[in-house]
Amino acid sequence: MDENAPRKLQKIKMNHRSSSAPRRPRSHPSSIFGFFSAVLLVTTGVIAGCGRTEISASAKVQNVPTVGTSLVATRPVAQYLTLSSELVPFQEIDVFAKEAGFVKDLNVDYGSRVRKGQVMAVLEIPELEAQLDEDHASINTQSDLVARAQHDVSRAKAQYSAAHSQYERLAGVAQTQKGLVAQQEVDDAQGKDLALEAQVEAAQGAVDAAQSTLQQVQAKLKRDQALYDYSKIVAPFDGVVTQRFANLGTLMQAGTNSTNALPLVRLSDENVYRLVIPVPESYVKYVAVGDPVEVRVPALNRSIRGKVTRFSVDVNGSTRTMHTEVDVPNTDQKLVPGLYAEAVLTLNRRDNVLVVPPQAINREGEKTSVDVLLPGDRIGFQPVTLGIQMPDYIEIASGLKAGDQVIVSDRGSLKEGDLVKPKAVQPLPYEETSAKQ
């Protein structure tokens, strides 16, 4: 028998007992590792799934565009028309002599400022001086003639009074005592009385004639004196001398009867200037007297407040413009004739109208619209009608109401109904056109 047989039999019995007893499960290292790997995979999957969800939502929020918005506001609007012209004196004249004469005194020169009635020059007119002396002599002579005629009237009245009294006495005696006074004496007294009465009337007529002649001579003196007064050339209004054409000793021709007469000076009114502007035909209907005007004078770097003072009520057929004038005060005497100026007219002004920034307007041909912000931050498309268009604002005649929000940022990629993120944008500041002197 094999000596190792008892050992094999003992080993078989022990294995038999072991197989019949309950077995405790044994954990194999590879099994534990697999379990934790599965758990880790599940957890990782869940976390990865949650992360993808959050990234997707974040990406969706980030894809919503931010747009600038502006509120529909109410402001005053007006049309402004800028026209160029030059300043001209309110009135400007050449001062001529009324009577011919030599310049004896010259009291003004270029730039001299004069007042109304101030003597600018004195002319020497010998002929008128001689005529005045003759007139004075004639008046003296005629006055003596009138005095003499009046003396003759007084003497004739005295003689007539005595003769008339004598006649009345003789006539009375002849009637009361007939035959006492001869009729011839009565008749002679009556004839003398009538003759002296006629002399009184003739003397009175001579007095009237002498007085009439005296009045004629006095009228001639007055006329000649008026002509001689024109030897003093005075300023017809307050102004400044812009041109001088004569010197001392210059023979001035009368401006009334000579087309080649030389003026003494050119006088301009410097207190007020005219700015003549040609208003185009399309704006004529908006022009009214009293409309505010801002007058800009680039050479002086200043602006002056003025207003429309007058305008012709017709349109020039060749230029299709209306002659319109603005009076520009020259209170500080800084303005001079011929300065270039710009007139900014305020036309068709209206208060409290709806306006939006120009960036909000969509234009497609003649159609205009705006993109509005709807509830839920969605884009809406709204047709509008425009009114007065200003540099910073445009009037909305219809289509919007106060408080609406319009999109003012780039809208090229937006479509109606898109979700957006609004951001209020401050519009450009509104500054009403003003003028300060």
Side-chain angles (χ1 to χ4, degrees), residues 145-168:
L145 292 176
V146 171
R148 184 182 304 173
Q150 288 176 342
H151 178 71
D152 292 341
V153 169
S154 298
R155 185 176 57 186
K157 285 183 178 180
Q159 293 175 353
Y160 168 71
S161 178
H164 185 67
S165 298
Q166 184 179 3
Y167 165 69
E168 288 183 343

Side-chain angles (χ1 to χ4, degrees), residues 114-159:
V114 297
R115 307 292 294 178
K116 181 179 180 180
Q118 179 178 335
V119 177
M120 296 187 292
V122 178
L123 302 181
E124 184 179 6
I125 311 176
E127 297 85 356
L128 281 179
E129 293 177 0
Q131 188 64 50
L132 288 176
D133 293 339
E134 182 181 343
D135 292 341
H136 284 296
S138 298
I139 288 176
N140 292 333
T141 301
Q142 199 63 35
S143 296
D144 292 340
L145 292 176
V146 171
R148 184 182 304 173
Q150 288 176 342
H151 178 71
D152 292 341
V153 169
S154 298
R155 185 176 57 186
K157 285 183 178 180
Q159 293 175 353

